[in-house]
Amino acid sequence: MKKEIFTLSVADANENNISMNLASAFGEKSVTFTVLDKEGKSCATTASPLDVQKVIDFLNHRLNAVEETPTAYGPSYTPTGVGLCVFDYQGKLLDTYYNHESLTRGFEGYSYEQLAEAFGYDSAIYVVFTLYDGSIGRETLIRVMQACVQLQDRFVVTGEPVFCRRMTLEDVAQQVGLDLTTVSRCAREDSKTKVGVRIYGPRQTFTLDNKVSTLKHPSLFDEGISRYGFPVSRLEVLERIKTMVDKENKHKPLGDQDLCDNLKEMGYDIERRTVAKYRGDLLELPNSNERREK
């Protein structure tokens, strides 16, 4: 079987430029490598877990033979296709597909029903993600997506904000044993091309946007807020505000301070300016004067 040799430089505690010669066979998941010193002799290394993960990411990309668009400056960050992972309701990986005929490069045409019909899993969670040609390894991307689904399994299955947990980049990084930068890159989204990650649950579709999460477009990442000293999701607070506005007396609508006082009575640690931001920016609800009916 044809073998190909890759040489990568990694940081070592005692030597700043030790090369790792990696021999791998296409079609095989197992990879063997030896660490050599400057004279070409085998030696032990204390490469950090991050260095080893970089090697694994690189090899996963090569072994899976992702469609490439190389540049003179290294791997391109241009999307090369679409992949899909199927998880059960507890986050166990059931199957993966790459550049399947039912997958396209946009998320707008997908629905849970369509994916269930195309791939044959009725009670499952579908995660559609964009492939890049070497910017990050598939196995690492799948690990991060699986951790997100497992940490928010009840929220993904029910679609109810009350089941959303506080989940940050730090939480996911700790779960999978990766650094924050790697986790952030796995969850990235290009606002122009609308590529990234979408999680399709039975009742709701989610993103992995760690910046913005709304009731209309919820993310599995949630910075959280304190209630009676315990962390709860920001989406839960958004739901409370929306409910109060929906049920208010439209002749005497609730101001932001009224909403804040009500939330504090429910045990939420929140300030008026935060309520105003949630009401206006995230819920897109007008202020009390604009809501008032004559």
Side-chain angles (χ1 to χ4, degrees), residues 31 39 91 124 149 220:
V31 176
E39 298 178 355
V149 170
L220 295 192

Side-chain angles (χ1 to χ4, degrees), residues 214-229:
T214 66
L215 294 178
K216 291 182 179 179
H217 304 287
S219 170
L220 295 192
F221 282 104
D222 194 301
E223 64 183 11
I225 192 171
S226 176
R227 185 185 187 193
Y228 294 121

Side-chain angles (χ1 to χ4, degrees), residues 43-164:
C43 65
T45 181
T46 55
S48 69
L50 177 58
D51 292 327
V52 175
Q53 189 61 52
K54 289 179 180 178
V55 174
I56 293 173
D57 289 346
F58 178 80
L59 287 173
N60 280 332
H61 162 65
R62 293 301 300 268
L63 290 174
N64 283 299
V66 182
E67 176 189 347
E68 296 188 3
T69 51
T71 70
Y73 306 100
S76 168
Y77 288 80
T78 302
T80 61
V82 176
L84 177 137
C85 289
V86 184
F87 298 100
D88 67 12
Y89 284 170
Q90 286 72 47
K92 179 183 177 182
L93 182 63
L94 301 177
D95 214 338
T96 56
Y97 300 87
Y98 301 109
N99 292 324
H100 189 274
E101 59 183 6
S102 297
L103 300 173
T104 62
R105 296 194 181 188
F107 294 112
E108 291 77 8
Y110 295 126
S111 69
Y112 184 85
E113 292 74 17
Q114 178 205 10
L115 292 170
E117 181 179 356
F119 296 95
Y121 292 91
D122 294 328
S123 300
I125 298 166
Y126 295 91
V127 181
V128 180
F129 58 96
T130 307
L131 296 174
Y132 292 87
D133 70 331
S135 59
I136 197 164
R138 287 182 180 178
E139 297 300 324
T140 297
L141 182 57
I142 292 173
R143 285 171 58 198
V144 170
M145 294 187 298
Q146 184 174 24
C148 292
V149 170
Q150 289 175 339
L151 288 170
Q152 296 282 25
D153 53 354
R154 295 182 69 188
F155 182 37
V156 175
V157 173
T158 64
E160 296 294 334
V162 68
F163 292 117
C164 180

Side-chain angles (χ1 to χ4, degrees), residues 242-271:
K242 183 178 183 302
T243 300
M244 285 190 285
V245 170
D246 288 344
K247 295 182 178 181
E248 71 185 357
N249 182 345
K250 298 304 178 183
H251 298 293
K252 295 181 179 180
L254 298 171
D256 291 335
Q257 187 60 57
D258 298 322
L259 295 171
C260 181
D261 292 341
N262 290 344
L263 289 170
K264 286 186 175 181
E265 289 182 4
M266 299 177 194
Y268 295 99
D269 184 9
I270 195 168
E271 300 298 328

Side-chain angles (χ1 to χ4, degrees), residues 232-249:
V232 297
S233 78
R234 184 171 62 180
L235 288 179
E236 179 179 319
V237 182
L238 294 179
E239 178 101 29
R240 295 279 190 182
I241 295 174
K242 183 178 183 302
T243 300
M244 285 190 285
V245 170
D246 288 344
K247 295 182 178 181
E248 71 185 357
N249 182 345

